Amino acid sequence: MTTEHLSRHRVPWAKEHPTVRKVANREVQLMRTLGRVVSLLSAADVPFAVGGDCAVYARGGPPAEHPVTIIASDTHLAGARAALATGGMRPLVSPRLGSRLLVDGDHRITLLYPSRTTGTGHGLLERAETMRIAQICAPVLSATDLMIDKLRHLDAHRWNFVPMLPVARALREQVDWPTVAAVTADLPRARAFLGLLDDLAVTPPVAERT
């Protein structure tokens, strides 16, 4: 088989998949952005917690790939946005998120208020725990609140269970599954996902959850 023949028959998606070095560099840059966010909000005395992929990563889940997600109370969202903007992060206006989106280099920072995360948001920041995320110490949403958040974001356009399975598996010992089931009982897709976890023995059997 000639070199020319091999070049014509390379795996078509090979160039689309990032190398290990690129993935590592992206993670370093994301953690650098997270570190800046935590430092700026702490200096401004803004109560907050890290949510999203970075929080999952802190709790032993897959490496963070998506934008930095910060949860701040309704009364502190404006202060959080001002603190990050003063630190050099560029505010954006999004049709879905309004003015709660900022950019730091190639990374986006999303500011959310508690009720957008779990439906009610009651006690969300109080349940956060200070944890280490790479070299950063920051308050991190509880595993139970993270799972509720992910299930509440399932809808007709976003209900791919595949990326959620490793998250559930990594966090399963930290999650209060009866609470998750009760809070998301009105969501058909959440019930379907929790049923799948039961079938795969990712979560404890129903009889053991009391």
Side-chain angles (χ1 to χ4, degrees):
M1 188 176 291
T2 66
T3 303
E4 181 182 355
H5 182 83
L6 284 170
S7 66
R8 290 201 308 268
H9 290 79
R10 278 186 240 170
V11 180
W13 41 261
K15 291 183 179 180
E16 299 174 8
H17 284 250
T19 64
V20 172
R21 179 176 295 179
K22 285 182 179 178
V23 170
N25 287 341
R26 185 170 60 195
E27 183 178 329
V28 168
Q29 292 168 7
L30 183 62
M31 290 299 107
R32 185 178 296 126
T33 290
L34 177 61
R36 291 189 63 212
V37 169
V38 169
S39 177
L40 289 167
L41 294 180
S42 298
D45 290 325
V46 174
F48 73 96
V50 178
D53 278 7
C54 290
V56 170
Y57 181 50
R59 292 189 170 277
E65 294 183 359
H66 294 95
V68 172
T69 300
I70 296 295
I71 316 300
S73 67
D74 300 19
T75 55
H76 289 96
L77 273 177
R81 184 174 182 271
L84 298 181
T86 300
M89 299 184 183
R90 182 164 55 90
L92 294 178
V93 176
S94 160
R96 185 170 64 90
L97 295 171
S99 61
R100 290 175 285 111
L101 188 66
L102 298 98
V103 175
D104 180 45
D106 294 330
H107 297 288
R108 293 191 172 194
I109 302 100
T110 302
L111 298 174
L112 298 178
Y113 46 88
S115 58
R116 188 177 177 89
T117 305
T118 61
T120 63
H122 179 69
L124 190 75
L125 295 181
E126 290 75 12
R127 289 190 296 272
E129 302 173 79
T130 299
M131 303 185 72
R132 183 172 290 278
I133 315 173
Q135 302 302 313
I136 307 154
C137 282
V140 174
L141 288 188
S142 74
T144 300
D145 286 322
L146 283 170
M147 189 55 59
I148 292 171
D149 176 48
K150 287 192 171 294
L151 291 176
R152 283 202 167 277
H153 280 83
L154 293 174
D155 58 28
H157 303 289
R158 294 177 296 178
W159 61 298
N160 181 7
F161 291 166
V162 174
M164 294 179 60
L165 286 171
V167 173
R169 184 174 179 81
L171 272 58
R172 61 181 175 178
E173 300 296 335
Q174 306 172 54
V175 173
D176 181 343
W177 292 107
T179 295
V180 172
V183 172
T184 61
D186 60 325
L187 305 174
R189 294 175 183 85
R191 296 198 304 270
F193 181 71
L194 293 175
L196 176 62
L197 295 184
D198 283 344
D199 291 342
L200 296 176
V202 172
T203 53
V206 174
E208 297 180 11
R209 296 184 193 171
T210 57

